[in-house]
Amino acid sequence: MPHRFTRATLALLLLAAAHAPRAGAAGQSVEQLTVYDAGVAQFVEVRALELQTGLNTVEWRSLMPQAFIRTLRVVAEGAEVVRQDVTYDGPEVRGGRAPVLHLVLRSSGAPGARRVQVDYLAPNLGWQNDYTLVLAPAQAGAPPTTASLDSWVSLLNSTGVDLTARRVDLIAGEIALINTAGGGGRFDASMNVSQRASGSATDEISEAVSSAPAGALSAFSRFRLGEQISINANAPVNRFPLFQGARVAVVERHVFENDYNAQTFARGGFVLLPRGLEVRLVSRNTTGVPMPAGQVTIYARPADGSPAQIVGQDRVPLVAMNEEFSVSQGRSSTLLGTRRVLERRAESYRLADGRTDEKLLTRVEIVLTNRGARATEAFVRERVEPYDGNQWRVLESSAPAEPLGANLVQFRLRVPAGGTQTLTYTVETN
């Protein structure tokens, strides 16, 4: 039943407020900080407060600026939360006042210290993950086979408040969080980066040295970043290692991927203009923990011992343990390809029941040229043009065809050193 207060009771509460226990001050210290990769975090504040038997009023003055009030949750040991009021007369932060929580607690036990916990969501705190992939030196002209992988997490503090947390967790995954400060939109915590299809990588070499234990639930992965972590507002980017020194196997893949209507003609349409094949490095997550989505910077270490140099950048999605991932190093300068559509025509044909339908016949030619000193395997991936019922099949091809999806087919070609290899195929769609 709802609690009703008489005027005498309210007067006693107002009188007690002058001597009410206060919790916290500016320069926040929290028990638990859980940071989502959507620019929002959960703050868990815990205080030991002296409560008297009966009704008590508490001022909780340590809420973060712009705290999402509708996410407030209060748990009091041995006491009942009777009422929550919020005013905006707290510390001034960046031209605005922080909220202050006024609690009415009913303690049923003897007077003494009680544990009171307040948790809520607040914006302007997020994290990003970055990787460095350092390729091991290989023989002249040979592709890399191993690499060292490091992960660094950047905590982004734009709250205007210095923070100290006894424990810090990071959340990666598709978490639905309502953006109460942004007109009802949603914080999108998903990793909107499509993992490229890739060939198989070799087995693991060794596990990383990880300082962040990870736990996985159905919708997300949690990483324990550390304890007693300070996040200074005057240094809004704070970087911490997630794991370091992971030795992973890598396999180099050359991929020539085209849309169904792509043609590599030069200006004027008479000369075929070769295009470098994309060089992808395929590996497997053998770090022992899920890999959060992040930007990857690729380094190559020269065999002469000189400093490693940046040779590419890409992004990877959230990668589960033992799953494959790939990063693009750029386009090859030695393995080149041309593509042209030799023929595209629609034909009528008669169905078994006597009705007439149409099918689309497309014939394509692809020529790969290897200007390097080693024979190279190439993956040719072709989009099939959607047509009518979108039922398609490869009628004939000069190399085995491997369907990869609803409208994607792959061919593998071996291109000799200093030579060429030609692929022709015909696809029927109806």
Side-chain angles (χ1 to χ4, degrees), residues 195-208:
Q195 184 172 4
R196 294 186 174 94
S198 59
S200 299
T202 54
D203 294 334
E204 74 176 77
I205 295 182
S206 63
E207 290 191 354

Side-chain angles (χ1 to χ4, degrees), residues 28 61 63-66 87-93 96-100:
Q28 317 299 48
R61 304 187 64 84
L63 297 183
M64 292 295 295
Q66 303 180 39
T87 60
Y88 286 87
D89 54 356
E92 184 175 348
V93 180
R97 291 285 184 178
V100 176

Side-chain angles (χ1 to χ4, degrees), residues 138-151:
Q139 297 179 357
T145 57
T146 61
S148 175
L149 182 66
D150 294 343
S151 171

Side-chain angles (χ1 to χ4, degrees), residues 106 118 227 281:
R106 177 184 285 113
V118 173
E227 299 186 354
L281 300 173

Side-chain angles (χ1 to χ4, degrees), residues 88-417:
Y88 286 87
D89 54 356
E92 184 175 348
V93 180
R94 295 183 175 177
R97 291 285 184 178
V100 176
L101 177 61
H102 304 269
L103 297 173
V104 178
L105 306 177
R106 177 184 285 113
S107 177
S108 57
R114 297 288 188 273
R115 185 179 186 272
V116 180
Q117 173 183 309
V118 173
D119 62 80
Y120 54 93
L121 291 174
N124 300 324
L125 192 69
W127 68 280
Q128 295 176 345
N129 185 62
D130 300 299
Y131 296 99
T132 59
L133 183 69
V134 183
L135 305 176
Q139 297 179 357
T145 57
T146 61
S148 175
L149 182 66
D150 294 343
S151 171
W152 282 85
V153 169
S154 298
L155 288 178
L156 311 174
N157 182 7
S158 301
T159 64
V161 176
D162 294 339
L163 288 170
T164 301
R166 194 171 79 84
R167 290 191 303 271
V168 176
D169 284 352
L170 308 176
I171 300 296
E174 297 184 359
I175 308 296
L177 298 174
I178 297 176
N179 181 359
T180 56
R186 285 190 175 271
F187 286 106
D188 185 3
S190 63
M191 310 300 175
N192 295 317
V193 180
S194 298
Q195 184 172 4
R196 294 186 174 94
S198 59
S200 299
T202 54
D203 294 334
E204 74 176 77
I205 295 182
S206 63
E207 290 191 354
V209 178
S210 175
S211 59
L217 297 179
S218 59
F220 61 88
S221 293
R222 174 186 286 114
F223 301 87
R224 174 60 49 81
L225 187 60
E227 299 186 354
Q228 300 300 335
I229 290 180
S230 297
I231 312 171
N232 195 328
N234 293 326
V237 178
N238 302 261
R239 287 171 62 82
F240 302 89
L242 199 59
F243 59 78
Q244 297 183 76
R247 296 280 295 173
V248 296
V250 295
V251 176
E252 187 176 88
R253 295 280 185 258
H254 292 84
V255 180
F256 195 52
E257 189 166 359
N258 301 285
D259 206 350
Y260 64 86
N261 58 354
Q263 304 213 65
T264 59
F265 286 118
R267 184 173 299 176
F270 299 104
V271 179
L272 287 172
L273 186 65
R275 188 175 74 235
L277 273 65
E278 186 178 7
V279 180
R280 297 180 186 174
L281 300 173
V282 182
S283 188
R284 188 180 296 277
N285 178 9
T286 57
T287 64
V289 297
M291 289 173 51
Q295 177 179 289
V296 182
T297 301
I298 308 167
Y299 293 81
R301 183 182 293 119
D304 61 5
S306 56
Q309 298 176 340
I310 295 176
V311 294
Q313 284 188 319
D314 200 2
R315 288 188 59 84
V316 295
L318 176 67
V319 183
M321 288 185 288
N322 296 318
E323 289 297 317
E324 289 184 352
F325 64 96
S326 69
V327 293
S328 176
Q329 194 176 348
R331 294 200 172 274
S332 174
S333 59
T334 59
L335 194 59
L336 311 174
T338 62
R339 182 186 195 269
R340 62 173 175 164
V341 178
L342 300 177
E343 185 180 15
R344 179 188 181 276
R345 73 177 190 274
E347 287 186 355
S348 297
Y349 68 100
R350 191 174 298 277
L351 299 172
D353 59 3
R355 290 181 298 126
T356 301
D357 203 350
E358 279 194 349
K359 60 183 177 181
L360 179 68
L361 294 173
T362 306
R363 192 159 65 97
V364 177
E365 178 189 76
I366 291 172
V367 179
L368 301 183
T369 302
N370 185 0
R371 296 177 180 172
R374 292 173 178 266
T376 305
E377 185 179 42
F379 294 77
V380 177
R381 293 176 183 154
E382 295 281 294
R383 298 285 173 184
V384 177
E385 180 178 0
Y387 188 81
D388 199 16
N390 204 36
Q391 301 295 317
W392 60 271
R393 63 192 180 103
V394 176
L395 293 181
E396 57 85 19
S397 63
S398 58
E402 176 187 1
L404 292 184
N407 287 82
L408 184 64
V409 61
Q410 175 175 274
F411 307 89
R412 294 192 185 190
L413 303 177
R414 188 74 174 173
V415 188

